[in-house]
């Protein structure tokens, strides 16, 4: 993160709205201000069109859209617009609801 600080807009997405949200995100990725989120830079890079992901053992993987330990198991909260984008682009499309501490905070809202 940029000096450990960022501000982001994170929509609430469910499995019922996921396909529509991911299509919108892929079409609108150019507004984020980082070309690496629109066009793949190498074989390991993720772009917005790859969809919502979670981190498992430090690796970014496709999010299955299920958090059974939550009272809202089919809820995803992907990072969307984040500022500054420099230093934070890797967070775009990360499902905050998949990370246990953030999930508890989001579930309590």
């Amino acid at each position: 993160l940029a000096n450990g600080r960022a501000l982001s807009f994170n929509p609430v997405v469910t499995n019922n709205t996921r396909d529509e949200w991911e299509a919108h995100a892929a079409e609108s990725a150019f507004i984020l201000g980082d070309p690496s989120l629109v066009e793949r830079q190498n074989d390991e890079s993720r772009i917005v069109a790859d969809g919502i992901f979670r981190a498992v053992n430090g690796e970014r993987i496709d999010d299955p859209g299920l958090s059974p330990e939550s009272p809202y198991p089919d809820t995803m909260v992907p990072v969307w617009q984040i500022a500054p984008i420099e230093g934070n682009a890797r967070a775009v499309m990360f499902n905050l609801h998949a990370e246990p501490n953030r999930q508890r905070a989001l579930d309590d809202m």
Side-chain angles (χ1 to χ4, degrees), residues 1-11 21 28-34 36-37 48 53 77-94 96 102:
L1 293 175
N3 295 325
R5 296 190 177 125
L7 180 65
S8 63
F9 166 73
N10 314 307
W21 165 251
S28 305
F30 68 93
I31 69 169
L32 299 174
D34 188 331
S36 71
L37 293 170
V48 170
F53 71 92
V77 183
V79 173
W80 177 230
Q81 295 172 331
I82 189 166
I85 191 69
E86 298 82 17
N88 293 305
R90 286 180 49 91
V92 173
M93 300 299 279
F94 169 68
L96 297 171
R102 291 179 174 129

Side-chain angles (χ1 to χ4, degrees), residues 8-28:
S8 63
F9 166 73
N10 314 307
V12 176
V13 179
T14 65
N15 283 322
N16 291 336
T17 60
R18 181 180 187 157
D19 289 344
E20 184 179 355
W21 165 251
E22 288 181 336
H24 165 74
E27 290 174 11
S28 305

Side-chain angles (χ1 to χ4, degrees), residues 11-17 52 54 63 65-67 70-78 95-98 103 106-107:
V12 176
V13 179
T14 65
N15 283 322
N16 291 336
T17 60
I52 299 169
R54 64 175 58 197
D63 195 295
L66 181 64
S67 297
S70 169
Y72 311 100
D74 73 336
T75 298
M76 293 163 278
V77 183
N95 180 10
L96 297 171
H97 197 249
Q103 181 185 92
L106 291 163
D107 287 348

Side-chain angles (χ1 to χ4, degrees), residues 42-78:
N42 57 53
D43 291 340
E44 287 91 40
S45 65
R46 285 189 70 94
I47 59 174
V48 170
D50 292 334
I52 299 169
F53 71 92
R54 64 175 58 197
V56 176
N57 298 324
E59 186 178 338
R60 297 185 300 173
I61 64 167
D62 292 340
D63 195 295
L66 181 64
S67 297
E69 62 283 354
S70 169
Y72 311 100
D74 73 336
T75 298
M76 293 163 278
V77 183

